Amino acid sequence: MEAAGGGAEDEQVMSEVHLGCPPHFSGLLVSHFSFSSRPLGPYGHKGGGGGGGGSELVAATSGSGGDSPDAVAVDEDGDLVLDRRRRNKYARGDRHLFTIQHGVTSSLKSVGLQVWKAALLLSDFILHESFSSPNFDGVTAIEIGAGTGLVGLALARVARRIFVTDRGTDILDNCLANLHINSGMLRFDEAKVCVRELDWKMAWPPPVGTYDPSDPSRYLWSASEVEEAEKATVLFAADVIYSDDLTNLFFNTVKKLMSVGAKKVLYLALEKRYNFSVDELDVVANGYTHFRSFFTAQDEHGDPSNRSGPGFVGKQIDPAEIPQYIREYERGKDLEMWMIMYSPEEKQHSNSTKTVFSF
């Protein structure tokens, strides 16, 4: 999740995902997000495909700071353990964990250090596709505004190569740490996951350099990686829509990526965030209307409505159709997911080939 600039950078924000974490905790905490590798039925569908019966308390969060005065319990390694909520039982062999190092609160500049709901929804989508279809098997992909890298970790289990991108050394370092933490447990090859800097304010292709782990510019791309990234067929982004200026930069970056190399599709998840607008004297979702202005939505028959030239076309995916594999969050009604494609060439003829989406 790439952060905005400006005078509000020092304002502290907190993801709802971290409610229940130690208040006023400084530094980085470690949370465990459990998921089943057994294909599930649609979200909220009882008896749908292997969630299992009954429930148990999940020790969802282990603090890296076991000496916190707010600790209620510690595990055998001395880490803080918090019982967060109940979830369906999985058979022991089906249960896996994402172990994510993250901030509990952060400034707007560093929101990428936190885990946000839309990243969990998008990870659910990737898990379901990987368990129930070959759609993502062997793909080359790019995660844009990766934050903690959770989405990339979900995909790394099946992808051929994934470029996990964000901006800022602190966020990229934390993302790389999460890669190291999870590669053994999730059994994927770290070499196929590249953590790289992608600044939306800069033109594509990004600056290239020689990789040196001790160099502050170690997240520079190599020329061969740029070439490989342009061959990616799938883009992912979560929780990147919260500022009009950043939305402009985001879609500009996506347009550049989709205009080169292989044909690409973007899967984007977001959470509407509401605030009272003095200008409109009403509660509004900041940035959402601006986000929707960037693409034409398909109608119920799959045809773009009022399409009159090149640009983005999107199809909304109902979150209710995405099984909830990760249990340690409440989805709520304000999460949305979109599948978006870009057509650089103008479609002026009625018999022109139209893009077909499927889910």
Side-chain angles (χ1 to χ4, degrees):
M1 183 176 185
E2 183 152 324
E9 286 185 354
D10 294 332
E11 178 185 348
Q12 292 295 303
V13 294
M14 180 180 186
S15 167
E16 288 185 13
V17 175
H18 304 315
L19 293 176
C21 289
H24 313 300
F25 184 87
S26 61
L28 297 174
L29 202 67
V30 175
S31 289
H32 302 300
F33 298 93
S34 57
F35 66 94
S36 171
S37 60
R38 184 185 305 174
L40 305 177
Y43 173 67
H45 183 270
K46 295 182 179 179
S55 63
E56 63 180 350
L57 278 175
V58 182
T61 306
S62 298
S64 56
D67 57 349
S68 167
D70 299 292
V72 294
V74 294
D75 63 17
E76 61 185 6
D77 297 319
D79 290 332
L80 177 68
V81 175
L82 298 177
D83 288 338
R84 305 258 316 256
R85 56 178 60 98
R86 294 183 178 272
R87 66 156 175 83
N88 290 334
K89 286 183 178 179
Y90 303 134
R92 185 176 298 274
D94 293 331
R95 180 177 170 182
H96 303 278
L97 293 173
F98 292 117
T99 301
I100 303 297
Q101 179 176 277
H102 63 88
V104 176
T105 63
S106 70
S107 66
L108 289 174
K109 182 180 178 181
S110 300
V111 289
L113 291 175
Q114 296 191 59
V115 180
W116 299 87
K117 282 187 178 182
L120 293 164
L121 172 64
L122 187 52
S123 297
D124 275 335
F125 172 76
I126 291 171
L127 289 172
H128 185 60
E129 289 293 297
S130 66
F131 295 145
S132 62
S133 80
N135 290 346
F136 294 151
D137 290 357
V139 299
T140 297
I142 305 172
E143 184 184 1
I144 306 172
T148 62
L150 175 61
V151 171
L153 293 173
L155 185 66
R157 304 169 67 255
V158 295
R160 186 189 74 83
R161 175 65 64 91
I162 178 166
F163 295 93
V164 178
T165 72
D166 212 306
R167 181 175 68 106
T169 302
D170 56 342
I171 293 173
L172 293 168
D173 283 348
N174 187 58
C175 192
L176 185 62
N178 283 328
L179 169 64
H180 295 329
I181 292 170
N182 286 275
S183 60
M185 183 171 294
L186 297 179
R187 299 179 181 178
F188 64 81
D189 182 1
E190 287 190 20
K192 67 180 182 179
V193 183
C194 296
V195 178
R196 294 293 179 263
E197 184 156 39
L198 183 59
D199 188 338
W200 304 348
K201 296 179 182 179
M202 300 183 68
W204 180 269
V208 299
T210 303
Y211 180 74
D212 181 353
S214 63
D215 193 319
S217 62
R218 57 188 172 276
Y219 298 112
L220 286 177
W221 301 66
S222 69
S224 62
E225 288 171 348
V226 170
E227 182 179 351
E228 186 175 9
E230 291 181 349
K231 296 177 182 177
T233 56
V234 193
L235 308 177
F236 295 96
D239 282 304
V240 295
I241 305 301
Y242 57 98
S243 156
D244 287 358
D245 290 341
L246 274 181
T247 300
N248 294 340
L249 294 171
F250 171 78
F251 273 100
N252 188 46
T253 297
V254 170
K255 180 179 178 179
K256 292 172 184 175
L257 288 170
M258 287 188 159
S259 298
V260 297
K263 188 174 183 179
K264 300 172 177 62
V265 60
L266 165 68
Y267 292 99
L268 182 148
L270 73 150
E271 181 179 3
K272 293 182 184 178
R273 293 181 173 88
Y274 295 92
N275 288 287
F276 183 80
S277 169
V278 176
D279 293 334
E280 301 181 41
L281 296 179
D282 198 1
V283 176
V284 298
N286 287 347
Y288 182 75
T289 300
H290 189 63
F291 158 70
R292 289 294 305 270
S293 72
F294 276 89
F295 61 91
T296 302
Q298 286 187 341
D299 63 23
E300 60 183 2
H301 303 294
D303 297 318
S305 58
N306 302 318
R307 175 78 180 273
S308 61
F312 292 101
V313 179
K315 177 182 178 182
Q316 191 167 5
I317 299 172
D318 185 355
E321 296 301 317
I322 303 172
Q324 185 165 349
Y325 286 80
I326 301 172
R327 308 307 301 180
E328 289 80 25
Y329 77 110
E330 300 289 343
R331 284 190 179 174
K333 59 182 176 60
D334 297 322
L335 288 176
E336 285 191 3
M337 184 161 168
W338 291 85
M339 180 164 52
I340 299 173
M341 296 188 73
Y342 177 73
S343 297
E345 297 179 0
E346 190 169 358
K347 308 292 186 181
Q348 294 182 338
H349 304 289
S350 60
N351 61 349
S352 60
T353 302
K354 66 181 180 181
T355 301
V356 178
F357 293 92
S358 62
F359 170 67

